[in-house]
Structures are given as C-alpha cells and as structure tokens.
Amino acid sequence: MNDDRSKILASIRASLATAAGVRAARGPHGSPPAIAAPPPTTELTVPAVGPKGPASIRAVTGFQGALDRVQGVCHRVTSDAGAADALQAVIADLGVRRVVRSDDHLVIEILERVIGGFELLPPDADRSLLLQCELGVSRATIGVVEYGTIVLSSGDTQGVKGTPTERQRLVALLPATHVAILAATDLVETWDAALTALCSTSGDLPPTATFATGPSRTADIELELVLGVHGPKNQHVILLEHR
Amino acid sequence: MTASGSEPRETGSIHHLHAHQFDDLVPRALANVELRGALAKATNTIRNRRAIALEGIDDLQKLRGQAKAIKTEALAHLDEHLETFERHATANGIQVQWAADAESARAMVLKIAIKNGTRLAVKAKSMVSEEIGLNDALIDAGIVPVETDLGEWIVQLAEEPPSHILAPAIHKRRREIRDLLARVLGRPMPDDAAGLTEVARNELRGRFAQAELGISGANFLVAETGSFLLIENEGNIRLTTSLPKIHVAVVGIEKIVPRLQDLGPLVRIITRSATGQPISCYQTLVTSPKTSLEDDGPEEIHLILLDNGRSKLLEDDLTAETLRCIRCSACLNVCPVYRQIGGHAYGSVYPGPIGAIFTPLIAGMHAASQLPGASSLCGACREVCPVDIDIPGVLLHLRHRAAEGDRSTGGRPASDPQTAEKNRVMRRGFRLWRWAMGSSRRFEIFGALGRLLATVVGRVPSLAKYAGPLGGWTNGRAVPRSPGRSFRSSDVARRLRREEEDRKR
C-alpha cells in the first residue's frame, strides 16, 4: 500500500520532469506547450456572505421560476401558519398516510400546526418504517436562485465539525415526495455562492452536503425523460418569505 | 494479491479489453440496423440538447477556458495536490489508499468488503470500476455487486458492457429492455419508459437497504478540503453513499482540483456538456463519515486513488491533455465514427474519441493501436470538448507512435500486429507510388495500367474482392467508371500545354 503511494508519486514526478525537460529543450521557438503555465494561484477566497437581510422579491420570484423549470414546486408563504397550510395541502393532495420529519426545530414547529390524519415518524425511526414513508419534511440550509437548487447538509448532529446539521439524510431521500422548508433569507444568487456560504457559516464543511435541483430523473431508456427514479419523484419547497 | 513485490509496470490495464478485434467488430456493428437506428436517434437528441443548453451561456469560451485552466493547473502539480488531498481527507476521517494498478485497487476493495462481511454491494455507475473490472473480482470473491444506475443495471442484467460513458444502455431500444426485464424478473413488464423505471426503483430499493457496502467513483477530488464531489440525476449515488455502513470510492488520480471554488465552473460546464441540463439533479459533496452514532450516513469512507498508467501520460504535454477529461461524453455524441459503430465496437470500456486516445495510452499501444485510426480527424470532438482536449492532435500523435515510434517507445513503432501489418503494406504502397510519380514516362504507364484495371473491374465488380492490400478501400465502395483516356491526352490538356509554351516564348 505504502509502496504504491511512493511508486505513484515517483512516477508523477518523473513524468512531470521529463515533460519539463522536453519543453526546455524545445526552447522559446518550439511549438507552444500543450500544458501552459498555470494561472496565478489565488488564496482560498471565502467572500464574506453579507449579513442576512430580507430577501429581495426578485430573488424569491427567481427561485420560484427556476424550480418550476425543473419540475419542482415552490410554495411561497408569509407566515409559519401559511407554511403549515401549504404542507397540509400537499399531504392531502397526495393522500399521504405516513410522513417522516427531520429533527430541525422549524420543521417540528411547522408540523405541529398541521392537523393530523397521517402517522408522523421521527428521523431515527426504524429503517424498515422509513422505507414505507411516502413523504419527508426537512429543512434546506441554502437556496440557489439561479437553478432553484436547495442545499441539504447532514451527518453531524452534534456539531463536531462545525454547526450542527439536522438529521435528514434519509428523510429527504427515501420517500417519493420531499418537502423542504427554506427561509427566504437563506437564498443566494449562484451555485458557487452556496458553496462558499456552506463553508463560511460553519467554518468547516458538513460531512455531507447535497445540492438538489428538482425531482430525481433519468433518460436511460431511449433518452425519454422520466421523473422519479431512486430519489424523490416530487420536490416541493415551502419558501418562508417572512424569515 | 498485493502490488508490493510486483515489477513496476510500464502501462496500466483495462478490463476485458479486446480492441485488437476492432476490424472484426466494426462490420458487425455496421450490419446491425437496430443498433444504428438507436444510436442515430440517441446521439442526435443529446447533441441538440447540449447545443440548446450552451446557447444560454453568454461566455461559453470563458467558461471553457476556466475549466481548462483548473484542470491544467491541477495536473501541473499533481503530486502536491494529491498529497494535500490525502492530508486533509485523512484529517476528516476518510481512509485514503493508493493503488498503482488495477490489481492493487481490486485487492483493496475486496479486503474492505471481506473484512466487513459483505455479501451484497450496491454500486453507483463508475467508469473506473469498469476499467479495473471490479464486478468480476467481487463475484469471484462470492460478493454480489448490483449496479444501481438505471442504464447500468440494464446492461448488467443483459450481461453486456456499457456502450456509452454516460448512457450505458444507449444501444438498446425500449422493447428490448422490456423483454429483458420480463425474462430476468419472470413477470410481464410495462411498455413505457416510466413504467420500466418504476420497476427498477422498486426492485433496487430492497438491495440498497440490504447492502453492507456502497461503491462509487467520484467526479472531482478537492485538495484544499479533502472532499469529493459526486454528480448524478437518479439519486442512486445518494442511496449508495447513505444506506450502507461502509462507502468505498475508487477514483483516478487525475480527478483532483486544487480548490473548493474550482467546483463552480466545472459543475456549470459538465452537465451542460453531458446531458444538456443547466445542472444535474444532485451534486453531493462528501467531506467525512458521520461524526456520531446517532447520525445518518456511512460509518467508514475509504477512498482509493488509482494510477493504472495515468501518471505516465504526464511525460508528454500532448498526451497529458487526455487527463483533463471530465468524462462528459460530448465527444461521443458528435463523432461520425461513434455514431455509426456505437460503443461496443471499440472493444474498450472507454469508447468514442476520448476512448480512442485514453485506451491505448492506458493499456498500451500493443493492445489498442487500431483505435486512433477510428477517426476521420474532422475535429468535432475537440470543438465540443469542455476542457479543450486536442483529441485530433493526440490521435495523430498515436498514429505516428504506431507507424514510426517516438521517445516514449524508444524510437520504434509500437502497435498491435494488425496495425503493424497495415502500416507495412501502406509504406510499401507509398514507396511504389513515389517511384511511379518520379518521371512523366512512369506516370503515363501507371495511369494507363490504372485505367485498364478500373475498366476491367468496372465490368466485373466481383473481381474487386481480389484487391489484396487495396481491399480496405475497395470493400464497400463501387469502382468509379474509367474515363477511357487520360486527362493529359485530352484536347483541353493539349491546348493548355500549347498556351504554356507560347507564353514561354
């Protein structure tokens, strides 16, 4: 194993040296090197994410439009009660009987307002039960305006590596329908900005972060688009404009 | 089965490589009308989707330049970035191992699998896994590997290799897939793609839950943070890396990028080039195993860095470009050769223009020297390449290596016997040609001989099969009608000659 490590590194170094030698021998009048000099290395730029203020209406409508283009559904609400109503409507529409939630406090609060009619499971329920759930509710830590993407981070509930993450990994993945709760102040403009925000909020990256854009899809059979393969078939985002 | 003690190898290896049969595989593929129909439809569709997706980008060339610069920089200091990656990933709790060749990588995966009592392993689609023949190794060890990408699952059930880097079952029509699933699962299947996809979801759900081990590749390794990024649409990679207790990723050393922020431009261009989507459904950034017992996710993550001949490509600036490849497969969809013969005819898990250069560079010229010939050098592959790999340049370079040899081959031709024979015949033919063109007298004699032959074969076309070394040209072509007499003896040519002489006077 160690042997392979030194073998590979030695081989890379020998090859790079050979290429450099050829380049030098060719001189300034030779053909230009295929591998040009690398661009100047910039330090890790973590542009400060500005203090969170009220999201602009442009960002909200932009996110909604982008999610719509990838067959996701965005519910814009202006109060926690509105969020509960939207969630209730989704559950009723789909005739869902078994719901699993993450352990995010906002998710729990909103679900408390939803009138029953279904069985609610916590994220640490038995896996065989989780596999039978038809709908999962969890929090999205960031929303990306340009693509309608939501960021789901998990794997560190105790905050060993930074800000604690919620328990949502299977909640947002196994059921056919996923409902994400997203605060409008967590919207950022671009995918790159979301990546930056992800490591600047906690100082460290969470064990796993998934950038999810719309329902899962495939085109493996005659390139025909089919929504809902192994991941969720329906992607709903409840966007809290008041938060 | 450990690599220690084995001799350092000049090249890597590719599982089930039979590129030396290229000449036999191509006519078979061309005769398969069903295949060509599926290919034409599929490649046209993806090509158009890609074109539409890229229309939306104002600064495509700038984005391409960024993507190219990132990969170029990563390769120029590959050793340092790999060490940085290892340091950070290890600090995050990822167990990093280095595999010099395919055998070594297979042994590492098996060791992890056996140690954890694996009976069932779920797999995310991975070209590196195909390259090293991981599935066969697992089966030999009594472990059942289950491919979970829809297309890859279909070709696994059909016991075929994938025929496309991105859409492994691109060569199959829908009813073929329906019949295959009906046969394997022993019950009637729905007719539509949505119904068949639903069957796959339900069939594979249980496998994800049972599997002790999840195996994946990775699209990018981030040196600065020790993370890796997995890009997908179906959600099977998320399941593969979430449900089993152990996750193993086998990744080529060229997948490294220096900084976290480098992912932005690459993610932006890879899906557009691959499927024509602005962005894929899921990008999962894995940085560490779960940190406490209560959390979700794998308890252990193993990452195997695979060389298998890659480091050798860095010796030459041109061949090094091949390592910039991000496996988007855009070059397959535009290649006039791939579009006719499909992926299987290349006899390599890496087909198409990128396969025609990557395969012989990894597995050696002696194993795949015919593949660089599978191109008309039209340049379409380079035009669409998101990281601007000079594929036609490398193809020519490898043809030269096969015919004449270069520094890397010690100045001797390096090829398989078939290519060597073709090159010998061609060299003889051109020598004869040069001699025939040497004087006007010989030119006239050979011209007359050619006209005579063309007239005879034109009347009796079946004679063309005796063309010998010219057979490669005459098979599949009609012999043109002979003009009867040469251009030089025509009235026009005579008048031109007279005018020329008049001017000289």
Side-chain angles (χ1 to χ4, degrees):
Chain A
M1 232 180 281
N2 269 337
D3 189 37
D4 276 18
R5 182 184 192 276
S6 45
K7 206 195 281 181
I8 294 171
L9 287 172
S11 174
I12 293 171
R13 284 175 191 139
S15 293
L16 288 174
T18 308
V22 172
R23 230 174 284 139
R26 214 183 272 143
H29 303 299
S31 51
I35 292 198
T41 311
T42 45
E43 288 300 304
L44 165 63
T45 44
V46 183
V49 176
K52 282 177 180 171
S56 68
I57 187 76
R58 204 194 52 73
V60 169
T61 52
F63 179 85
Q64 185 181 24
L67 187 58
D68 189 54
R69 280 194 293 280
V70 290
Q71 293 87 21
V73 185
C74 179
H75 308 264
R76 286 168 56 183
V77 299
T78 50
S79 67
D80 288 358
D85 288 345
L87 186 52
Q88 178 101 52
V90 172
I91 291 171
D93 273 358
L94 294 165
V96 167
R97 302 218 159 161
R98 205 170 254 169
V99 175
V100 58
R101 60 159 179 82
S102 75
D103 51 9
D104 178 78
H105 69 94
L106 190 58
V107 168
I108 296 172
E109 266 173 52
I110 290 173
L111 269 164
E112 272 168 5
R113 294 167 182 262
V114 178
I115 307 153
F118 55 86
E119 187 186 344
L120 182 64
L121 294 168
D124 48 3
D126 193 72
R127 191 171 279 182
S128 59
L129 287 174
L130 286 187
L131 282 163
Q132 289 167 26
C133 287
E134 301 145 278
L135 187 140
V137 190
S138 70
R139 179 82 177 264
T141 41
I142 304 168
V144 181
V145 172
E146 64 172 336
Y147 297 129
T149 304
I150 50 172
V151 180
L152 313 162
S153 36
S154 72
D156 186 13
T157 48
Q158 321 206 328
V160 177
K161 295 185 69 68
T163 316
T165 62
E166 63 182 315
R167 263 198 91 165
Q168 47 80 330
R169 197 155 167 152
L170 303 180
V171 177
L173 180 56
L174 292 179
T177 303
H178 175 226
V179 181
I181 308 288
L182 173 65
T185 46
D186 289 331
L187 286 175
V188 296
E189 204 53 49
T190 61
W191 193 94
D192 308 60
L195 194 61
T196 307
L198 191 66
C199 57
S200 65
T201 49
S202 59
D204 230 331
L205 287 165
T208 301
T210 294
F211 294 67
T213 310
S216 73
R217 64 197 61 212
T218 187
D220 272 350
I221 300 177
E222 291 193 351
L223 294 182
E224 191 183 314
L225 177 68
V226 177
L227 294 182
V229 198
H230 300 292
K233 189 175 190 161
N234 309 304
Q235 178 69 65
H236 292 264
V237 176
I238 297 179
L239 184 53
L240 311 175
E241 292 188 53
H242 58 290
R243 279 182 186 262
Chain B
M1 289 252 300
T2 54
S4 50
S6 66
E7 288 299 303
R9 292 154 86 143
E10 281 296 296
T11 52
S13 62
I14 290 180
H15 188 63
H16 270 169
L17 182 67
H18 48 286
H20 60 282
Q21 294 171 7
F22 186 68
D23 280 347
D24 301 326
L25 293 169
V26 169
R28 230 181 294 161
L30 289 177
N32 187 342
V33 179
E34 184 93 336
L35 169 76
R36 292 171 75 184
L39 277 174
K41 185 182 159 197
T43 50
N44 267 335
T45 309
I46 319 186
R47 211 159 57 145
N48 294 339
R49 281 184 195 159
R50 175 192 165 272
I52 293 165
L54 289 172
E55 265 171 22
I57 301 192
D58 304 329
D59 236 339
L60 174 61
Q61 291 313 324
K62 193 180 152 206
L63 187 58
R64 258 182 113 193
Q66 273 178 310
K68 177 182 177 178
I70 290 164
K71 293 294 282 188
T72 305
E73 183 196 352
L75 292 172
H77 301 281
L78 185 57
D79 50 338
E80 294 162 31
H81 295 311
L82 285 170
E83 285 178 312
T84 310
F85 173 81
E86 182 191 36
R87 198 168 61 245
H88 289 135
T90 307
N92 295 339
I94 295 176
Q95 303 178 39
V96 180
Q97 298 184 66
W98 304 64
D101 52 33
E103 189 191 319
S104 175
R106 284 193 302 264
M108 286 169 188
V109 177
L110 284 183
K111 199 171 162 195
I112 297 164
I114 291 164
K115 190 180 153 206
N116 292 287
T118 305
R119 279 171 302 173
L120 179 69
V122 281
K123 293 189 67 216
K125 201 175 91 57
S126 152
M127 288 309 297
V128 160
S129 162
E130 298 287 338
E131 172 184 328
I132 64 174
L134 192 52
N135 284 1
D136 283 355
L138 289 167
I139 292 168
D140 288 347
I143 297 161
V144 180
V146 176
E147 294 289 350
T148 60
D149 171 88
L150 177 58
E152 195 78 22
W153 184 60
I154 292 167
V155 295
Q156 190 188 28
L157 293 179
E159 297 180 7
E160 286 175 26
S163 72
H164 191 278
I165 290 175
L166 196 80
I170 199 173
H171 58 292
K172 288 209 171 307
R173 303 306 286 252
R174 196 180 58 218
R175 54 192 145 72
E176 217 182 324
I177 296 168
R178 179 199 64 197
D179 296 345
L180 169 74
L181 292 185
R183 186 168 52 75
V184 175
L185 302 174
R187 60 174 195 267
M189 283 293 133
D191 259 326
D192 56 322
L196 293 168
T197 304
E198 177 87 30
V199 169
R201 178 184 167 104
N202 295 335
E203 280 295 319
L204 290 171
R205 229 355 110 99
R207 304 302 183 91
F208 281 118
Q210 284 164 17
E212 295 90 357
L213 184 69
I215 301 174
S216 76
N219 293 89
F220 303 106
L221 305 171
V222 183
E224 168 184 78
T225 63
S227 318
F228 55 95
L229 191 76
L230 299 156
I231 301 179
E232 59 161 337
N233 272 320
E234 296 185 0
N236 64 311
I237 302 186
R238 287 176 69 190
L239 285 165
T240 303
T241 58
S242 292
L243 288 175
K245 282 198 172 130
I246 319 281
H247 171 204
V248 180
V250 188
V251 188
I253 51 172
E254 81 281 19
K255 296 286 176 196
I256 207 128
V257 298
R259 290 165 300 266
L260 192 63
Q261 287 304 317
D262 293 334
L263 295 177
L266 291 166
V267 163
R268 220 168 273 273
I269 205 161
I270 190 172
T271 327
R272 285 184 165 92
S273 302
T275 61
Q277 295 166 273
I279 194 159
S280 76
C281 273
Y282 306 123
Q283 305 88 40
T284 300
L285 186 70
V286 180
T287 305
S288 69
K290 66 178 187 174
T291 55
S292 74
L293 280 177
E294 293 74 38
D295 293 321
D296 304 324
E299 287 164 15
E300 283 178 27
I301 300 178
H302 299 262
L303 192 128
I304 297 171
L305 292 167
L306 176 74
D307 183 351
N308 200 24
R310 286 165 170 77
S311 54
K312 190 98 174 135
L313 271 58
L314 293 168
E315 267 188 1
D316 180 302
D317 285 340
L318 188 60
T319 58
E321 290 198 21
T322 313
L323 295 179
R324 287 208 295 262
C325 178
I326 54 176
R327 307 275 186 269
C328 74
S329 71
C331 61
L332 275 60
N333 304 324
V334 297
C335 176
V337 176
Y338 179 89
R339 285 159 51 83
Q340 291 299 326
I341 65 175
H344 290 160
Y346 288 81
S348 164
V349 299
Y350 294 102
I354 188 67
I357 59 176
F358 191 69
T359 306
L361 283 171
I362 290 299
M365 289 298 285
H366 61 280
S369 63
Q370 292 177 76
L371 295 189
S375 167
S376 64
L377 299 177
C378 70
C381 46
R382 182 173 192 181
E383 207 175 293
V384 298
C385 179
V387 285
D388 192 30
I389 301 171
D390 183 4
I391 299 178
V394 183
L395 285 165
L396 276 174
H397 181 79
L398 293 179
R399 288 183 191 183
H400 177 77
R401 204 176 261 189
E404 312 266 327
D406 64 4
R407 193 168 33 79
S408 78
T409 67
R412 308 167 72 89
S415 69
D416 65 13
Q418 291 92 330
T419 317
E421 178 57 25
K422 274 188 218 166
N423 284 336
R424 237 191 324 274
V425 170
M426 230 187 308
R427 202 171 289 123
R428 231 176 278 147
F430 277 109
R431 214 173 286 144
L432 182 69
W433 184 261
R434 193 174 56 191
W435 180 78
M437 296 285 132
S439 81
S440 62
R441 186 87 198 118
R442 286 200 290 268
F443 180 83
E444 268 166 25
I445 292 169
F446 270 82
L449 202 63
R451 279 194 302 284
L452 181 68
L453 277 174
T455 313
V456 174
V457 181
R459 283 196 194 126
V460 194
S462 58
L463 285 175
K465 64 172 175 270
Y466 301 107
L470 293 179
W473 193 85
T474 56
N475 295 344
R477 284 185 181 85
V479 177
R481 208 158 59 88
S482 162
R485 61 177 185 170
S486 76
F487 177 75
R488 281 167 59 88
S489 63
S490 69
D491 293 344
V492 184
R494 221 172 287 147
R495 200 180 69 230
L496 287 173
R497 266 201 300 275
R498 251 201 322 274
E499 282 172 16
E500 179 74 20
E501 278 162 25
D502 285 351
R503 252 203 310 281
K504 274 185 194 158
R505 254 180 252 148

